[in-house]
Amino acid sequence: MANKMQARCVIVGGGPAGMMAGYLLARACVPVIVLEKHADFFRDFRGDTIHPSTLELMHELGLLDEFLKQPHQELRELRAVVNGQPVPVADFTKLPTRCKFIAFMPQWDFLNFLSSHAKRFQTFQLYMETEVVDLLIEDSRVVGVRAKTPRGELEVHADLVISADGRHSIVHTRGGFKQCEFGVPIDVLWMRISKKQGDPKQTLGFFQHGKLLVLLDRDDYWQCGFVIPKGGFDEIKARGLPEFQNELVSFADFLRDRVAELDDWSKIKLLTVQINRLCDWCREGLLCIGDSAHAMSPAGGVGINLAIQDAVATANLLAEKLRSGPVSVDDLRKVQTRREWPTRLIQGMQVFIHRRVVTGRASGRKNSLPFVVRLLKWFPVLRQLPARFIGLGPRPEHFRSPTVT
Ligand SMILES: Cc1cc2nc3c(=O)[nH]c(=O)nc-3n(C[C@H](O)[C@H](O)[C@H](O)COP(=O)(O)OP(=O)(O)OC[C@H]3O[C@@H](n4cnc5c(N)ncnc54)[C@H](O)[C@@H]3O)c2cc1C
């Protein structure tokens, strides 16, 4: 016999979308249960970026000062090295927000911070090591989820199920949603290389003739993301490790004395990049948000921000009604209506970046700079556009859901 629990809302997935939605709904006095399949938030393949719009939200929630006490790095200007030439890409210092920077913080610290604050509300419960395996459906309305836990099977019944279980969502699969897939021509190789004194101070992107190496500063090591053509990993492996190491050095020469740390292919993980979007984000009793509704590429590092914005819109539009009872599918559709066009715009931009910049169709002559990049170099004011797009995103959300203490 499965254990049974009841809540007004059950959220599947404790990533950025699920934890933020859980925090905001609990804060608005909606009894909410978040189910996360892992035992902790400590996983490697996660973005590290907390954008100015998310920091603004932390301010609106009264959490910013405490949040910024967590170890983090602040990136005020985004610079790249394009075909060997340093290029300023985005200037965040002119943004109309309290924090004029992107904070780099391991995502597990961000999620631990949010969950520790959410647990202060009596209406919030988080169950780790609880993997949702199916939906409970009655008369074609979703009424809850079935999960497996180390203590046996669990059924959680709720007026609303929120699917925030990421790009490989079991919930949207079981929910029977149709999805449009946008071909992505790239994958990413993900690996660590140690940092040394004298290394460049900031996170860097190295573009070279249509190829890209990103180095994320994680204090004592560089988290490296190397963009490769989709399906190209086997060919890279066949060429051998020394050639791969040399290729990395050709992007960032300062790695030469330690690239040999990558002495086994097991230290290099393949991350498959997808961009897709559900046609409908909801049905009776079920709403999909974050990557579950729209898987994002790492291009621009905006997926976390978008997932959080979805969560804020969900709480703003649904919390009041949910407090007193079920919400209709028309209510749920309002979340999609609000969040779909920012998603379309960002995904459109990601597809463009993959096709024109990363895969090299726009790379032009050897050592030349693409025209758009040259414009950014010549006219500093233009760097505010990518800063707005990356830092705030289209239609930034503000916290409006009621707080009940
Ligand atoms: C290589 C790579 C690098 C990226 N880098 C960045 C970056 O730097 N900045 C950025 O903004 N975005 C980045 N992104 C995109 C970003 O990671 C996602 O857009 C973002 O994490 C989406 O958040 P989410 O909460 O919707 O989903 P997720 O972060 O995927 O969270 C889903 C959660 O649900 C849990 N879960 C899954 N299935 C179940 C289940 N059945 N039951 C219970 N729990 C479940 C998972 O364990 C996870 O905790 C990157 C993406 C990739 C592929």
Side-chain angles (χ1 to χ4, degrees):
M1 276 286 283
N3 287 320
K4 293 199 174 154
M5 285 177 13
Q6 178 89 40
R8 185 72 75 194
C9 174
V10 61
I11 298 176
V12 184
M19 286 309 305
M20 184 54 91
Y23 173 87
L24 291 174
L25 290 174
R27 186 185 168 119
C29 226
V30 176
V32 57
I33 294 177
V34 178
L35 306 177
E36 166 56 49
K37 73 175 173 186
H38 288 100
D40 54 36
F41 297 120
F42 200 84
R43 281 181 296 296
D44 211 12
F45 309 130
R46 290 184 172 271
D48 289 359
T49 49
I50 311 292
H51 289 232
S53 53
T54 303
L55 294 167
E56 193 70 6
L57 198 67
M58 294 306 234
H59 166 66
E60 290 167 9
L61 293 168
L63 299 175
L64 183 64
D65 291 344
E66 202 184 330
F67 183 67
L68 290 178
K69 287 187 188 138
Q70 313 289 312
H72 68 278
Q73 285 103 36
E74 297 177 4
L75 183 83
R76 288 164 203 279
E77 194 188 31
L78 190 61
R79 301 182 75 83
V81 179
V82 181
N83 295 344
Q85 301 187 45
V87 181
V89 174
D91 175 5
F92 300 106
T93 61
K94 308 281 185 313
L95 287 180
T97 46
R98 199 154 294 258
C99 297
K100 297 174 191 310
F101 54 83
I102 289 183
F104 275 82
M105 183 184 289
Q107 205 184 103
W108 46 88
D109 288 344
F110 174 60
L111 295 174
N112 276 325
F113 179 87
L114 264 187
S115 68
S116 67
H117 279 272
K119 282 175 191 162
R120 295 179 189 175
F121 302 117
Q122 284 180 353
T123 39
F124 181 85
Q125 295 179 72
L126 169 65
Y127 290 88
M128 305 298 286
E129 283 187 277
T130 303
E131 179 176 0
V132 169
V133 289
D134 212 348
L135 292 174
L136 304 173
I137 299 176
E138 283 171 13
D139 298 331
S140 72
R141 182 186 172 90
V142 176
V143 295
V145 295
R146 179 172 296 120
K148 56 176 196 204
T149 80
R151 300 157 300 282
E153 205 168 88
L154 172 71
E155 280 185 6
V156 184
H157 291 254
D159 290 322
L160 175 63
V161 175
I162 295 181
S163 165
D165 48 343
R167 63 192 53 216
H168 305 297
S169 168
I170 178 96
V171 176
H172 79 215
T173 310
R174 291 280 196 270
F177 291 100
K178 277 208 203 102
Q179 179 169 277
C180 13
E181 193 72 48
F182 304 95
V184 178
I186 61 158
D187 284 329
V188 176
L189 299 182
W190 200 242
M191 59 234 144
R192 291 176 180 199
I193 297 182
S194 59
K195 256 180 75 187
K196 287 202 175 158
Q197 262 193 344
D199 281 359
K201 287 274 170 291
Q202 280 182 340
T203 291
L204 294 168
F206 296 85
F207 289 85
Q208 206 161 277
H209 315 307
K211 293 187 176 173
L212 169 62
L213 172 70
V214 177
L215 300 184
L216 302 175
D217 184 346
R218 281 209 182 146
D219 240 12
D220 52 344
Y221 65 91
W222 292 107
Q223 180 64 63
C224 312
F226 187 53
V227 175
I228 61 166
K230 194 167 255 330
F233 193 28
D234 284 342
E235 201 183 312
I236 291 173
K237 275 182 170 168
R239 290 203 295 265
L241 262 176
E243 185 157 339
F244 178 65
Q245 292 166 352
N246 286 339
E247 184 157 26
L248 296 184
V249 171
S250 74
F251 281 79
D253 195 58
F254 67 93
L255 297 178
R256 183 180 296 278
D257 58 352
R258 61 206 107 133
V259 77
E261 291 168 10
L262 300 171
D263 55 4
D264 193 289
W265 288 111
S266 65
K267 294 185 180 169
I268 300 156
K269 304 273 184 293
L270 171 69
L271 304 183
T272 310
V273 178
Q274 286 173 286
I275 301 183
N276 58 44
R277 193 167 61 235
L278 299 183
C279 306
D280 290 310
W281 296 15
C282 58
R283 55 178 274 184
E284 289 284 351
L286 173 61
L287 171 69
C288 302
I289 61 172
D291 268 20
S292 165
H294 44 73
M296 307 300 290
S297 139
V302 290
I304 298 168
N305 193 41
L306 199 65
I308 289 172
Q309 303 285 312
D310 284 1
V312 178
T314 300
N316 283 347
L317 291 163
L318 303 181
E320 184 104 50
K321 274 200 173 173
L322 252 187
R323 224 170 35 216
S324 48
V327 284
S328 69
V329 78
D330 287 340
D331 294 323
L332 299 180
R333 228 172 257 129
K334 285 182 189 151
V335 177
Q336 175 173 359
T337 305
R338 175 139 191 106
R339 296 305 311 158
E340 190 167 6
W341 82 252
T343 307
R344 279 174 180 261
L345 201 61
I346 293 175
Q347 288 186 325
M349 190 62 90
Q350 291 189 325
V351 170
F352 173 81
I353 290 171
H354 292 151
R355 296 212 177 125
R356 306 281 306 168
V357 182
V358 181
T359 49
R361 282 199 226 159
S363 57
R365 289 193 316 275
K366 200 169 187 298
N367 299 332
S368 73
L369 290 180
F371 182 63
V372 177
V373 177
R374 270 182 279 162
L375 283 179
L376 290 172
K377 211 170 169 176
W378 294 333
F379 302 106
V381 72
L382 291 182
R383 293 171 213 157
Q384 290 173 37
L385 292 174
R388 274 192 105 91
F389 196 78
I390 296 169
L392 299 182
R395 190 178 264 171
E397 301 289 345
H398 294 277
F399 167 63
R400 281 194 288 110
S401 49
T403 308
V404 181
T405 45

